[in-house]
Amino acid sequence: MKRRNFLSLGPALAGGALLAGAAPGAGAATRDRVRIGMIGTGMRGQVLLRELVRRDDVEVVALCDIEPIMLERALKMVETAGKPRPAAYGAEGSLAYRAMLDPSKLDGVIIATPWEWHAPMAIEAMRAKVPVGCEVVAGVTLQDHWDVLDAQLKTGTPYMLLENVCYRRDVMAVLRMVRSGLFGELVHMQGGYQHDLRAVKFNSGDPAKPYGSGVEFGTKGWSEARWRTEHSVRRNGELYPSHGIGPLAMYANINRGNRFTRINTFASKAAGLHEYVLREGGKDHPNAKSRFRLGDIVTTTLACDNGETIILQHDTSLPRPYSLGFRVQGTQGLWMDVNRGMHIEGISKPHQWDDFKAWQDKYDHPLWRKYAEQAAGAGHGGMDYFVIHAFISALKENAPMPIDIYDAITWSAITPLSEQSIALGFQTLDFPDFTGGSWRSRKPIFAFDDRY
Ligand SMILES: NC(=O)c1ccc[n+]([C@@H]2O[C@H](COP(=O)([O-])OP(=O)(O)OC[C@H]3O[C@@H](n4cnc5c(N)ncnc54)[C@H](O)[C@@H]3O)[C@@H](O)[C@H]2O)c1
């Protein structure tokens, strides 16, 4: 749906806006247990499944994947945990998930498929009244984002973006620091996705398809190499914004008293992946002819209504250690994650960094204090425990999703907007107001207590 048409919905939108992230039925009873299905049981799906099967309040009742190796691995994970074997979908092909979306059998579905499937699968699930927990991103094109939003507003079916970095321990401690005013007035923030993805290697467990790699991609690839690298061939933009922008948007109260107003994106040349394929595959490898469009360093700047600026960097095709590159800076000091450094005027020695650890201990979020033991061993340093816990708890309590449809759409739409900016010669663009004006009165809800 185009923005103009969307706005012309008038009363429908006004009513719908109230429904965003709402519970499936107002006044519906809370539940002790929920029945969950999963579409896409690849590498990410299996990490999330591990969290689901160790919970007593979740029954994993249905799994769907079109790759039999991945599906079987996931089914075995459930059985190994001593739980009943879920119903299996996928043999019928790419649309097999449709048969699974039955609200009489499912209280929620987790979508962990390649990006291009997220929007259609989420829309169909919401229309079928099956609440959605969707892996990042929400969609690919700008139209996808309007369509996902429209489906959520019209159906009222809960939707949560499963953005796990919002639950990282240091990120949550910084959220408390921001809310307590430790940094003074927020002025500028940085973050991004800085992860060397050139060699996306996974063992398939099948001798006929041993490993994926950054050299073999597309149909010859495995797991993310099968689909993700194709995006680097065809697209140039901030392809993976939510790990960086999610925490920063929570700090800045985006869609809840603040909003993004303008965006622009610059992309460097694309050199890293080509050089990697030449070196690892040789000049005669078929992929040595591939020309990648994705700039190696893609830099996006966002302006906020409250006057803050935010820089995001996407950096996945050059050698580098992993870092999300966070920086949160205000009138009284700053935090940076790459050097684990803090500086607060009047407390830190002038012009010197404090080690972040002592600050983190002091501001540790109540959620982490309460659930650190349960989170131990969970994916990504424990944060995957929290994102699943939040989704399941909100479903059980019919509570608003803590990372809701507006968060999802706003963070994820950075991708198509950044592509547009680059295509227009790095032009600065208006950022759409997906909330239809309700950002002015909406109040922050994320992580305000020690429940989820
Ligand atoms: N939040 C995080 O930390 C994190 C980490 C890794 C991946 N991800 C996200 O998770 C998603 C999946 O990534 P992944 O690494 O698991 O990739 P993957 O390729 O290992 O898994 C995707 C699975 O989806 C299946 N699939 C594809 N089309 C399907 C369809 N029509 N119906 C059913 N199944 C289908 C594939 O066969 C594959 O097994 C992506 O959106 C990715 O960005 C998030």
Short mmCIF file of all heavy atoms in Angstrom, two decimals, residues 39-45 64-67 70 94 112-115 117-118 121 135-136 162 164 223-224 227-228 240 243 380, ligand 1:
data_model
loop_
_atom_site.label_atom_id
_atom_site.label_comp_id
_atom_site.label_asym_id
_atom_site.label_seq_id
_atom_site.Cartn_x
_atom_site.Cartn_y
_atom_site.Cartn_z
N ILE A 39 8.40 -21.55 11.29
CA ILE A 39 8.65 -21.67 9.85
C ILE A 39 10.10 -21.28 9.61
O ILE A 39 10.50 -20.14 9.92
CB ILE A 39 7.73 -20.75 9.01
CG1 ILE A 39 6.29 -20.79 9.50
CG2 ILE A 39 7.81 -21.14 7.53
CD1 ILE A 39 5.36 -19.81 8.78
N GLY A 40 10.86 -22.19 9.03
CA GLY A 40 12.30 -21.95 8.83
C GLY A 40 13.05 -22.49 10.04
O GLY A 40 13.14 -21.84 11.08
N THR A 41 13.55 -23.71 9.90
CA THR A 41 14.28 -24.34 11.01
C THR A 41 15.75 -24.50 10.63
O THR A 41 16.35 -25.54 10.84
CB THR A 41 13.66 -25.70 11.38
OG1 THR A 41 13.75 -26.55 10.23
CG2 THR A 41 12.21 -25.56 11.80
N GLY A 42 16.30 -23.44 10.03
CA GLY A 42 17.73 -23.43 9.66
C GLY A 42 18.58 -23.09 10.87
O GLY A 42 18.21 -23.37 12.02
N MET A 43 19.70 -22.44 10.63
CA MET A 43 20.65 -22.20 11.72
C MET A 43 20.02 -21.34 12.81
O MET A 43 20.13 -21.63 13.99
CB MET A 43 21.92 -21.52 11.19
CG MET A 43 22.66 -22.33 10.13
SD MET A 43 22.87 -24.08 10.51
CE MET A 43 24.08 -24.01 11.80
N ARG A 44 19.34 -20.28 12.44
CA ARG A 44 18.72 -19.40 13.43
C ARG A 44 17.52 -20.07 14.10
O ARG A 44 17.33 -19.99 15.32
CB ARG A 44 18.28 -18.09 12.76
CG ARG A 44 17.66 -17.11 13.73
CD ARG A 44 18.64 -16.70 14.80
NE ARG A 44 18.08 -15.82 15.79
CZ ARG A 44 18.58 -15.67 17.02
NH1 ARG A 44 19.67 -16.36 17.37
NH2 ARG A 44 18.04 -14.86 17.87
N GLY A 45 16.70 -20.71 13.26
CA GLY A 45 15.53 -21.39 13.81
C GLY A 45 15.94 -22.38 14.89
O GLY A 45 15.30 -22.49 15.95
N CYS A 64 8.20 -26.25 10.14
CA CYS A 64 8.12 -26.23 8.68
C CYS A 64 9.46 -25.79 8.11
O CYS A 64 10.00 -24.75 8.51
CB CYS A 64 7.02 -25.26 8.23
SG CYS A 64 6.94 -25.03 6.45
N ASP A 65 10.01 -26.59 7.20
CA ASP A 65 11.19 -26.17 6.44
C ASP A 65 11.20 -26.94 5.13
O ASP A 65 10.83 -28.12 5.10
CB ASP A 65 12.49 -26.41 7.22
CG ASP A 65 13.63 -25.57 6.67
OD1 ASP A 65 13.99 -25.73 5.47
OD2 ASP A 65 14.16 -24.72 7.41
N ILE A 66 11.59 -26.28 4.07
CA ILE A 66 11.61 -26.95 2.76
C ILE A 66 12.91 -27.73 2.56
O ILE A 66 13.04 -28.47 1.59
CB ILE A 66 11.43 -25.94 1.61
CG1 ILE A 66 12.46 -24.81 1.71
CG2 ILE A 66 10.01 -25.39 1.60
CD1 ILE A 66 12.47 -23.88 0.51
N GLU A 67 13.87 -27.56 3.47
CA GLU A 67 15.13 -28.31 3.37
C GLU A 67 15.03 -29.48 4.36
O GLU A 67 15.05 -29.27 5.59
CB GLU A 67 16.31 -27.39 3.71
CG GLU A 67 17.63 -28.05 3.95
CD GLU A 67 18.11 -28.90 2.78
OE1 GLU A 67 18.34 -28.36 1.70
OE2 GLU A 67 18.23 -30.14 2.98
N MET A 70 17.46 -29.72 7.44
CA MET A 70 17.19 -28.76 8.52
C MET A 70 15.94 -29.16 9.29
O MET A 70 15.90 -29.07 10.53
CB MET A 70 17.01 -27.36 7.95
CG MET A 70 18.26 -26.73 7.35
SD MET A 70 19.58 -26.50 8.57
CE MET A 70 20.56 -25.22 7.76
N SER A 94 7.44 -24.54 -1.16
CA SER A 94 7.61 -23.22 -0.55
C SER A 94 6.36 -22.68 0.17
O SER A 94 6.48 -21.82 1.02
CB SER A 94 7.99 -22.20 -1.61
OG SER A 94 9.22 -22.54 -2.15
N ALA A 112 11.59 -17.77 10.81
CA ALA A 112 13.06 -17.65 10.76
C ALA A 112 13.56 -18.12 9.39
O ALA A 112 14.48 -18.95 9.30
CB ALA A 112 13.69 -18.45 11.90
N THR A 113 12.92 -17.60 8.37
CA THR A 113 13.25 -17.96 6.99
C THR A 113 14.12 -16.85 6.38
O THR A 113 14.37 -15.82 7.01
CB THR A 113 11.94 -18.09 6.17
OG1 THR A 113 11.13 -16.95 6.48
CG2 THR A 113 11.19 -19.35 6.50
N PRO A 114 14.59 -17.01 5.12
CA PRO A 114 15.29 -15.91 4.45
C PRO A 114 14.43 -14.65 4.36
O PRO A 114 13.20 -14.72 4.37
CB PRO A 114 15.58 -16.49 3.06
CG PRO A 114 15.61 -17.98 3.28
CD PRO A 114 14.58 -18.25 4.33
N TRP A 115 15.06 -13.50 4.25
CA TRP A 115 14.38 -12.20 4.37
C TRP A 115 13.16 -12.06 3.48
O TRP A 115 12.14 -11.50 3.88
CB TRP A 115 15.36 -11.07 4.02
CG TRP A 115 16.56 -11.02 4.90
CD1 TRP A 115 16.65 -11.46 6.19
CD2 TRP A 115 17.85 -10.48 4.56
NE1 TRP A 115 17.91 -11.23 6.68
CE2 TRP A 115 18.67 -10.64 5.71
CE3 TRP A 115 18.39 -9.89 3.42
CZ2 TRP A 115 20.00 -10.22 5.72
CZ3 TRP A 115 19.71 -9.48 3.44
CH2 TRP A 115 20.50 -9.65 4.58
N TRP A 117 10.97 -13.95 2.60
CA TRP A 117 9.76 -14.65 3.03
C TRP A 117 9.08 -14.01 4.23
O TRP A 117 7.95 -14.33 4.57
CB TRP A 117 10.09 -16.12 3.35
CG TRP A 117 10.24 -16.95 2.11
CD1 TRP A 117 11.40 -17.37 1.52
CD2 TRP A 117 9.18 -17.45 1.29
NE1 TRP A 117 11.12 -18.09 0.39
CE2 TRP A 117 9.77 -18.16 0.22
CE3 TRP A 117 7.78 -17.35 1.34
CZ2 TRP A 117 9.01 -18.77 -0.77
CZ3 TRP A 117 7.02 -17.97 0.34
CH2 TRP A 117 7.65 -18.67 -0.69
N HIS A 118 9.79 -13.12 4.93
CA HIS A 118 9.25 -12.63 6.20
C HIS A 118 7.91 -11.91 6.01
O HIS A 118 6.96 -12.16 6.77
CB HIS A 118 10.24 -11.70 6.90
CG HIS A 118 11.49 -12.39 7.36
ND1 HIS A 118 12.46 -11.77 8.11
CD2 HIS A 118 11.94 -13.66 7.18
CE1 HIS A 118 13.44 -12.62 8.36
NE2 HIS A 118 13.15 -13.77 7.80
N MET A 121 4.93 -14.30 4.81
CA MET A 121 4.56 -15.28 5.86
C MET A 121 3.89 -14.58 7.05
O MET A 121 2.90 -15.07 7.59
CB MET A 121 5.80 -16.04 6.32
CG MET A 121 6.28 -17.05 5.28
SD MET A 121 7.86 -17.80 5.73
CE MET A 121 7.96 -19.10 4.46
N GLU A 135 11.75 -13.05 12.80
CA GLU A 135 13.17 -12.71 12.78
C GLU A 135 13.36 -11.42 11.99
O GLU A 135 12.52 -11.02 11.18
CB GLU A 135 13.98 -13.84 12.13
CG GLU A 135 14.71 -14.73 13.12
CD GLU A 135 15.58 -13.95 14.12
OE1 GLU A 135 16.03 -12.84 13.82
OE2 GLU A 135 15.78 -14.48 15.23
N VAL A 136 14.49 -10.81 12.24
CA VAL A 136 14.83 -9.59 11.52
C VAL A 136 15.19 -9.98 10.09
O VAL A 136 15.82 -11.01 9.90
CB VAL A 136 16.01 -8.89 12.23
CG1 VAL A 136 15.58 -8.53 13.65
CG2 VAL A 136 17.27 -9.75 12.30
N LEU A 162 11.76 -10.14 16.53
CA LEU A 162 12.60 -10.85 17.51
C LEU A 162 14.02 -10.27 17.50
O LEU A 162 14.99 -10.97 17.19
CB LEU A 162 12.60 -12.36 17.21
CG LEU A 162 11.22 -13.01 17.25
CD1 LEU A 162 11.30 -14.49 16.87
CD2 LEU A 162 10.57 -12.85 18.63
N ASN A 164 17.04 -9.53 19.07
CA ASN A 164 17.66 -10.00 20.31
C ASN A 164 18.66 -9.01 20.90
O ASN A 164 18.88 -8.99 22.11
CB ASN A 164 18.32 -11.37 20.10
CG ASN A 164 19.14 -11.45 18.82
OD1 ASN A 164 19.11 -10.53 18.01
ND2 ASN A 164 19.87 -12.52 18.63
N SER A 223 22.70 -23.02 3.96
CA SER A 223 22.25 -22.08 4.96
C SER A 223 22.31 -20.65 4.39
O SER A 223 21.85 -20.42 3.27
CB SER A 223 23.07 -22.22 6.24
OG SER A 223 22.55 -21.41 7.27
N GLU A 224 22.88 -19.69 5.12
CA GLU A 224 22.81 -18.29 4.65
C GLU A 224 23.50 -18.09 3.31
O GLU A 224 23.13 -17.19 2.56
CB GLU A 224 23.40 -17.36 5.71
CG GLU A 224 22.53 -17.29 6.95
CD GLU A 224 22.65 -16.01 7.73
OE1 GLU A 224 23.70 -15.35 7.65
OE2 GLU A 224 21.70 -15.67 8.45
N TRP A 227 21.18 -17.94 0.30
CA TRP A 227 20.28 -16.82 -0.06
C TRP A 227 20.85 -15.44 0.27
O TRP A 227 20.61 -14.49 -0.44
CB TRP A 227 18.92 -17.00 0.65
CG TRP A 227 19.01 -17.12 2.13
CD1 TRP A 227 19.17 -18.29 2.84
CD2 TRP A 227 18.99 -16.08 3.11
NE1 TRP A 227 19.24 -18.02 4.19
CE2 TRP A 227 19.13 -16.66 4.38
CE3 TRP A 227 18.86 -14.68 3.02
CZ2 TRP A 227 19.15 -15.92 5.57
CZ3 TRP A 227 18.87 -13.94 4.20
CH2 TRP A 227 19.01 -14.57 5.45
N ARG A 228 21.65 -15.37 1.36
CA ARG A 228 22.05 -14.04 1.81
C ARG A 228 23.02 -13.37 0.85
O ARG A 228 22.92 -12.16 0.57
CB ARG A 228 22.67 -14.13 3.20
CG ARG A 228 22.91 -12.79 3.84
CD ARG A 228 23.34 -12.96 5.30
NE ARG A 228 23.48 -11.69 5.95
CZ ARG A 228 23.18 -11.45 7.23
NH1 ARG A 228 22.72 -12.41 7.98
NH2 ARG A 228 23.36 -10.26 7.75
N TYR A 240 20.99 -4.71 6.89
CA TYR A 240 20.69 -5.42 8.14
C TYR A 240 20.68 -4.44 9.30
O TYR A 240 21.54 -4.47 10.17
CB TYR A 240 21.75 -6.50 8.33
CG TYR A 240 21.30 -7.73 9.07
CD1 TYR A 240 20.12 -8.39 8.74
CD2 TYR A 240 22.07 -8.27 10.09
CE1 TYR A 240 19.72 -9.53 9.41
CE2 TYR A 240 21.69 -9.42 10.77
CZ TYR A 240 20.51 -10.04 10.42
OH TYR A 240 20.13 -11.19 11.08
N HIS A 243 19.89 -4.86 14.29
CA HIS A 243 20.76 -5.12 15.44
C HIS A 243 21.38 -3.81 15.95
O HIS A 243 21.58 -3.64 17.15
CB HIS A 243 21.89 -6.10 15.08
CG HIS A 243 21.41 -7.51 14.82
ND1 HIS A 243 20.29 -8.03 15.38
CD2 HIS A 243 21.94 -8.50 14.05
CE1 HIS A 243 20.13 -9.28 14.97
NE2 HIS A 243 21.11 -9.58 14.16
N HIS A 380 23.99 -16.21 21.58
CA HIS A 380 24.45 -14.82 21.58
C HIS A 380 24.61 -14.27 23.00
O HIS A 380 24.06 -13.22 23.34
CB HIS A 380 23.50 -13.93 20.78
CG HIS A 380 23.50 -14.23 19.31
ND1 HIS A 380 22.56 -15.02 18.71
CD2 HIS A 380 24.34 -13.86 18.33
CE1 HIS A 380 22.81 -15.12 17.42
NE2 HIS A 380 23.90 -14.42 17.16
N1 LIG B 1 18.69 -12.40 15.42
C1 LIG B 1 19.83 -12.98 15.14
O1 LIG B 1 20.80 -12.93 15.89
C2 LIG B 1 19.96 -13.76 13.86
C3 LIG B 1 21.07 -14.57 13.62
C4 LIG B 1 21.11 -15.29 12.43
C5 LIG B 1 20.08 -15.17 11.50
N2 LIG B 1 19.04 -14.35 11.76
C6 LIG B 1 17.93 -14.22 10.81
O2 LIG B 1 17.20 -15.44 10.80
C7 LIG B 1 16.70 -15.70 9.50
C8 LIG B 1 17.18 -17.07 9.04
O3 LIG B 1 18.58 -17.09 8.96
P1 LIG B 1 19.41 -18.46 9.09
O4 LIG B 1 20.80 -18.09 9.41
O5 LIG B 1 18.71 -19.42 9.95
O6 LIG B 1 19.34 -18.97 7.58
P2 LIG B 1 19.23 -20.47 7.12
O7 LIG B 1 19.35 -20.46 5.63
O8 LIG B 1 20.14 -21.34 7.91
O9 LIG B 1 17.73 -20.87 7.51
C9 LIG B 1 16.61 -20.47 6.78
C10 LIG B 1 15.73 -21.71 6.59
O10 LIG B 1 14.52 -21.32 5.97
C11 LIG B 1 14.14 -22.38 5.09
N3 LIG B 1 13.18 -21.88 4.12
C12 LIG B 1 13.43 -21.11 3.02
N4 LIG B 1 12.27 -20.85 2.37
C13 LIG B 1 11.29 -21.49 3.07
C14 LIG B 1 9.88 -21.64 2.89
N5 LIG B 1 9.24 -21.05 1.86
N6 LIG B 1 9.20 -22.38 3.78
C15 LIG B 1 9.83 -22.99 4.83
N7 LIG B 1 11.16 -22.90 5.03
C16 LIG B 1 11.87 -22.16 4.16
C17 LIG B 1 15.46 -22.82 4.48
O11 LIG B 1 15.37 -24.12 3.94
C18 LIG B 1 16.41 -22.75 5.69
O12 LIG B 1 16.52 -23.99 6.36
C19 LIG B 1 17.19 -14.54 8.65
O13 LIG B 1 16.20 -13.58 8.61
C20 LIG B 1 18.38 -14.01 9.39
O14 LIG B 1 18.65 -12.66 9.11
C21 LIG B 1 18.95 -13.65 12.92
#
